[in-house]
Amino acid sequence: MVGKKSGKALLRDEGLERTDNNMDLSSWPQIAPINQKNYYTDYLKRDDQLLAFRLQNEEARNRMTKSAKDRDRALALGKQEQGEAEVDGDTVMEDAEEAPTEAAGSKVIVIHVGSQNLRIGLASDALPKTVPMVIARKSAKNESEEEGVEPRPKRLKLDEDEDEEGIEPEKQFGPEFAAEYTSMSADLKVHMRQNKRRTLPNSKEMVINYNRRTQPEHIPEHNDPERIEWTEIPSPAPEYITGQEALRIPDDSNPRYKLSWPIRHGWCNEEAYDNTRFLFLDISLILEDAIKTQLGLTSKKEWPNYSCVFVISDLYEKTYVTNILEMLMKEFSFARVCFIQEALAASFGAGFTSACIVDIGAQKTSICCVEEGMCIENSRVNLKYGGYDVTETFIRMMLYDHFPYTEINLNQRYDFLLAEELKKNICTMLETGVSVTVFDFHLRISGQDTRKYAFKAYDEQHLAALGFFNPSIFDNTAKLNGRHKLLTRSYDIYDGQPNDPTSAAQSEILSAIAPPAPEPAADDEKQTSNGTHDIQATPSRSQQHLNVLNRIQDSEATPRSSVAGSPAPEASSTPQINNGTGTPAPTTDKLSTTLLPPAPRAPSIEERDDVLPIFPLDQAILTSVEHAARSDDRKMRDFMGGIMLVGGGSQITGFHAYLEARLHTLRPTFAKEIMIGTPPRDLDPQVVVWKGASVFGKLNTTNDSWIGRLEYDRLGSRLLAYKCMWAY
């Protein structure tokens, strides 16, 4: 019988004894334990520890210290002068008084950039200066002579055996426009009869017959009291000309100049440029000339003493904002810069604390509800039409009805100015103005005699403005050309997803008008959407995933962003593709297949570049108000009673009453509350946004959104997350 072994013997004999060979357990570096004392630190957890807020506090302390010193100095000087003045028996305090202070806002430049006009001025000015947002550069041909440039309004291309004079005006714009125009005319006639308004059965024939036989009257230039002073090209010819002078350059000038509009439809005009640097260079040149000529600041050495308030749209693009901030800080060297949204600036200018702002510009219309000095994010809507679309549609309708000046082309400068004048003087939303009326206009071309035309119009003046409520009549074919060709989307630095602002109201509108997105085809090999073979998938897994994803997106108020537009992964992780087949090459490594990145889901509605936000104005306003009210009946009534129209596109006669009637029809339960307001104090609707931004620029003591030079040099555009008054 074997004796019982001790514990030490078992460890020694069985090999269970622990031995220490003084070697580390791993080659990985050993991390020391966290210091227990620092568990509850508040480092960078309070706002006053950030650089932006520290500089604000230091500035406030310095201001308070300076005011205290000035007060003590004034008291000391006052006592001293009082003792010296006792001899004369008079108290003289004139030397103790400080120099007269400058007017509030006299050192603040307010800039509002639009698609057609730039409004700029000092915050102390009563009204801004308006400058066309255009630049003319030397070129071999002007904008209307270049090859491939279609005339505006766009007309059908003729066959080789068909000349331009042989085609009938009714067929110049295609059957779709003709059917839409005829339908709108018939609906208007029915509506007028219902309202007991008299209509002549042969009104169209009267207009066409008169326009066919009318001939222009030639007036010598010296007999024209309103002749245009065209821009004379000096010698040597400058490389570029901006503003109103650029629009007055003769089309046949020597040398030729080509017009460029860097902002179109509220976006950067990426189609007309090949380089981002040239795009923002033109914007900076227009702003620079406006500051020098309109504000009188001819020396750039004075600009560092000025601050700048820049107005951006409610649904902005972060890439555009960061580039503008860099331009204002580095090229213009302003002391401080701050940004304000258009809707908030309009509420400042009108003095409203709660309102639904409808801003109708030249080429875009923005809608946003403002409450207590903040834009409601989910109520923001941006539509890509405006007053210029009304101008172009009006000219198309007049040409359809045998307009006597058949050669009109909005790409030519004098025709563009003429069309804007006709739209301003003739278009109306009042049904009482729909009658056969004779109008006349003067065509002024450089180097030619003035021609006076007479023409008749019937319902064109009303139907063109109705395009706001039936935008399919507008020409929307080229508005998405060049989209994101130069300026890519802004991506989050942490998750790589697009982080441009979105809105539930805008998403609802885009979802209603968007065509279905192309879905990846599911084949028999259970191929996933990124082109890789899913070995472990069941036959219906891919389709189930897509269905669940669609249900999630439909149920969310604001669709989530995706990484569909993010940069592609490195080549090492990209599956190999067979030459010319478009199918992935077979792989034998199961581990490499399972570790591939997940398939990117379909892009959200805001990330699709094939959807143009075109929607009836009255329905878009109701969509914005509903998302702002959030099913609150009281807020709904407040916003319905506080709709305010601003912008140049809202100046059409009778537009307010017509919009109010449309809203009454769509929401009869709120008929008593619906009210369309105008800016108070007879303020021009075109300058309300600028006026509000100027008021905002005067709030130096309560405005914490200024970005200083020291802050920008250290943190750059990251400051916008702390300085903007909204969630940037």
Side-chain angles (χ1 to χ4, degrees):
M1 184 175 180
V2 181
K4 185 178 180 180
K5 293 185 178 181
S6 64
K8 293 183 178 182
L10 285 174
L11 293 175
R12 183 181 65 255
D13 297 340
E14 300 295 335
L16 301 178
E17 184 178 5
R18 178 180 177 181
T19 59
D20 192 359
N21 53 8
N22 295 325
M23 295 181 65
D24 295 334
L25 297 177
S26 172
S27 61
W28 290 89
Q30 300 296 319
I31 300 176
I34 298 176
N35 189 351
Q36 302 293 323
K37 297 185 296 181
N38 294 334
Y39 268 169
Y40 302 101
T41 181
D42 59 352
Y43 178 65
L44 290 183
K45 292 182 179 179
R46 298 198 312 266
D47 288 345
D48 57 356
Q49 295 175 335
L50 300 175
L51 174 64
F53 295 98
R54 292 207 314 269
L55 293 178
Q56 289 180 6
N57 296 334
E58 291 177 5
E59 184 180 357
R61 286 196 300 268
N62 293 338
R63 193 185 308 114
M64 184 172 57
T65 304
K66 182 178 181 301
S67 61
K69 291 181 179 179
D70 293 343
R71 185 172 58 252
D72 294 342
R73 186 181 300 109
L75 292 174
L77 291 176
K79 291 181 178 179
Q80 181 179 358
E81 291 180 358
Q82 183 178 3
E84 295 176 355
E86 285 180 355
V87 179
D88 300 332
D90 190 10
T91 303
V92 181
M93 298 294 294
E94 296 172 352
D95 295 337
E97 294 179 357
E98 296 182 356
T101 58
E102 298 177 345
S106 60
K107 292 292 185 179
V108 179
I109 300 175
V110 182
I111 301 175
H112 181 204
V113 175
S115 298
Q116 187 165 313
N117 290 314
L118 161 70
R119 290 180 173 85
I120 188 171
L122 298 176
S124 57
D125 296 340
L127 294 174
K129 307 294 191 302
T130 300
V131 180
M133 191 66 187
V134 63
I135 183 172
R137 287 186 175 274
K138 279 185 179 180
S139 178
K141 299 180 179 179
N142 60 37
E143 62 276 6
S144 61
E145 296 173 345
E146 287 190 333
E147 298 180 358
V149 177
E150 297 177 344
R152 307 291 292 184
K154 183 179 178 181
R155 302 168 190 176
L156 293 180
K157 294 183 178 179
L158 304 177
D159 299 332
E160 295 180 358
D161 57 346
E162 190 176 18
D163 57 351
E164 187 174 357
E165 297 180 357
I167 187 172
E168 298 179 1
E170 294 85 355
K171 299 180 181 179
Q172 286 185 351
F173 306 106
E176 295 182 0
F177 174 78
E180 188 76 23
Y181 181 31
T182 305
S183 175
M184 292 179 65
S185 299
D187 293 342
L188 176 62
K189 186 176 296 185
V190 171
H191 189 268
M192 293 180 64
R193 287 176 179 174
Q194 291 176 352
N195 293 338
K196 309 299 181 182
R197 299 191 185 279
R198 182 183 178 185
T199 58
L200 298 177
N202 59 341
S203 300
K204 280 290 184 182
E205 289 76 8
M206 294 172 59
V207 170
I208 293 175
N209 294 332
Y210 182 87
N211 292 340
R212 275 178 174 173
R213 66 174 184 268
T214 184
Q215 295 295 328
E217 176 188 353
H218 291 265
I219 303 175
E221 186 176 359
H222 61 273
N223 290 337
D224 186 5
E226 298 181 1
R227 59 181 179 271
I228 297 177
E229 296 295 336
W230 299 97
T231 302
E232 296 183 0
I233 307 300
S235 181
E239 287 295 328
Y240 65 89
I241 301 175
T242 64
Q244 189 67 30
E245 294 182 353
L247 290 179
R248 297 299 188 186
I249 299 177
D251 286 36
D252 57 351
S253 62
N254 186 20
R256 291 285 197 274
Y257 279 85
K258 177 184 175 182
L259 297 186
S260 297
W261 302 81
I263 304 294
R264 296 274 86 177
H265 312 294
W267 292 326
C268 289
N269 189 8
E270 302 174 63
E271 180 187 8
Y273 292 86
D274 298 327
N275 192 301
T276 307
R277 186 173 64 87
F278 291 151
L279 171 61
F280 284 95
L281 175 61
D282 281 359
I283 296 177
S284 65
L285 290 177
I286 296 173
L287 295 179
E288 179 180 342
D289 281 5
I291 293 175
K292 290 181 179 179
T293 59
Q294 303 297 327
L295 304 184
L297 303 177
T298 56
S299 175
K300 283 191 174 183
K301 296 180 180 179
E302 304 175 13
W303 296 3
N305 300 326
Y306 286 80
S307 304
C308 178
V309 177
F310 198 91
V311 182
I312 60 175
S313 60
D314 306 319
L315 279 176
Y316 53 87
E317 291 182 329
K318 290 189 175 182
T319 305
Y320 170 75
V321 176
T322 54
N323 279 279
I324 289 296
L325 177 61
E326 180 181 4
M327 177 198 305
L328 298 177
M329 279 295 185
K330 293 185 176 180
E331 297 184 23
F332 291 85
S333 302
F334 287 131
R336 300 181 303 172
V337 174
C338 74
F339 294 95
I340 184 172
Q341 293 172 298
E342 286 180 341
L344 182 58
S347 66
F348 269 78
F352 294 168
T353 58
S354 178
C356 178
I357 307 297
V358 181
D359 186 358
I360 305 176
Q363 295 187 354
K364 78 171 179 63
T365 298
S366 59
I367 307 169
C368 181
C369 294
V370 179
E371 185 178 22
E372 300 298 335
M374 291 294 292
C375 295
I376 302 178
E377 295 182 355
N378 284 333
S379 69
R380 296 175 292 184
V381 174
N382 197 302
L383 307 175
K384 299 306 177 183
Y385 58 74
Y388 178 78
D389 295 273
V390 176
T391 303
E392 185 179 3
T393 304
F394 175 68
I395 297 300
R396 292 172 73 187
M397 291 180 175
M398 292 305 306
L399 289 173
Y400 186 91
D401 292 336
H402 297 258
F403 190 58
Y405 178 37
T406 58
E407 301 85 7
I408 188 171
N409 181 6
L410 299 187
N411 287 331
Q412 296 174 344
R413 297 151 201 173
Y414 51 86
D415 286 344
F416 170 75
L417 298 174
L418 172 64
E420 288 289 333
E421 182 183 358
L422 290 177
K423 187 272 299 275
K424 182 179 179 181
N425 297 333
I426 297 177
C427 287
T428 178
M429 296 293 290
L430 298 176
E431 291 185 358
T432 55
V434 180
S435 61
V436 179
T437 311
V438 180
F439 299 96
D440 58 60
F441 65 90
H442 294 77
L443 176 63
R444 298 177 175 91
I445 305 176
S446 176
Q448 301 182 17
D449 290 341
T450 302
R451 284 178 278 173
K452 181 181 180 181
Y453 285 87
F455 68 97
K456 281 187 177 181
Y458 174 53
D459 56 359
E460 302 88 353
Q461 51 191 331
H462 183 73
L463 296 181
L466 279 184
F468 286 119
F469 309 97
N470 186 18
S472 59
I473 195 66
F474 293 152
D475 183 11
N476 305 314
T477 55
K479 293 182 179 180
L480 284 177
N481 292 352
R483 180 74 175 134
H484 286 143
K485 184 182 76 172
L486 302 177
L487 299 177
T488 58
R489 300 183 188 274
S490 174
Y491 295 96
D492 191 90
I493 61 175
Y494 296 105
D495 55 13
Q497 296 183 358
N499 59 355
D500 282 334
T502 59
S503 167
Q506 184 81 353
S507 301
E508 181 178 337
I509 290 175
L510 293 178
S511 300
I513 62 178
E519 296 184 0
D523 53 10
D524 297 334
E525 297 178 353
K526 301 178 290 296
Q527 190 176 4
T528 59
S529 60
N530 64 345
T532 60
H533 293 276
D534 193 353
I535 298 177
Q536 301 176 352
T538 61
S540 61
R541 175 180 175 184
S542 178
Q543 189 65 29
Q544 290 176 356
H545 173 71
L546 290 176
N547 294 338
V548 172
L549 179 61
N550 292 335
R551 288 198 301 269
I552 292 176
Q553 288 182 346
D554 292 340
S555 62
E556 289 181 345
T558 304
R560 295 176 297 177
S561 57
S562 71
V563 294
S566 58
E570 296 180 359
S572 60
S573 62
T574 304
Q576 299 296 325
I577 304 298
N578 289 338
N579 294 333
T581 62
T583 57
T587 177
T588 56
D589 189 358
K590 180 177 180 180
L591 180 60
S592 63
T593 305
T594 56
L595 292 180
L596 284 174
R601 62 181 178 85
S604 63
I605 194 66
E606 293 89 355
E607 300 167 22
R608 292 177 57 181
D609 290 336
D610 61 337
V611 183
L612 181 67
I614 297 294
F615 204 65
L617 180 61
D618 50 352
Q619 300 180 25
I621 293 175
L622 292 178
T623 303
S624 174
V625 171
E626 288 173 356
H627 282 276
R630 301 174 186 174
S631 302
D632 189 341
D633 188 71
R634 182 185 61 82
K635 286 186 177 181
M636 187 80 173
R637 297 180 184 277
D638 290 343
F639 288 129
M640 284 293 191
I643 300 176
M644 186 178 66
L645 291 180
V646 298
S650 64
Q651 292 184 307
I652 301 176
T653 306
F655 189 84
H656 296 71
Y658 189 88
L659 177 59
E660 189 171 329
R662 297 274 302 202
L663 294 177
H664 284 169
T665 305
L666 293 177
R667 287 293 185 273
T669 55
F670 296 98
K672 296 182 179 179
E673 287 80 11
I674 294 177
M675 182 179 298
I676 309 297
T678 57
R681 301 180 298 276
D682 296 332
L683 192 62
D684 187 357
Q686 299 181 88
V687 303
V688 172
V689 174
W690 183 93
K691 190 65 177 178
S694 67
V695 173
F696 179 77
K698 299 177 185 177
L699 306 176
N700 291 327
T701 57
T702 59
N703 186 357
D704 296 333
S705 59
W706 290 106
I707 299 176
R709 296 197 56 82
L710 176 62
E711 302 167 288
Y712 181 79
D713 292 340
R714 294 187 181 181
L715 299 180
S717 61
R718 290 177 294 171
L719 272 170
L720 293 170
Y722 303 104
K723 289 293 188 175
C724 291
M725 296 186 299
W726 63 92
Y728 181 77

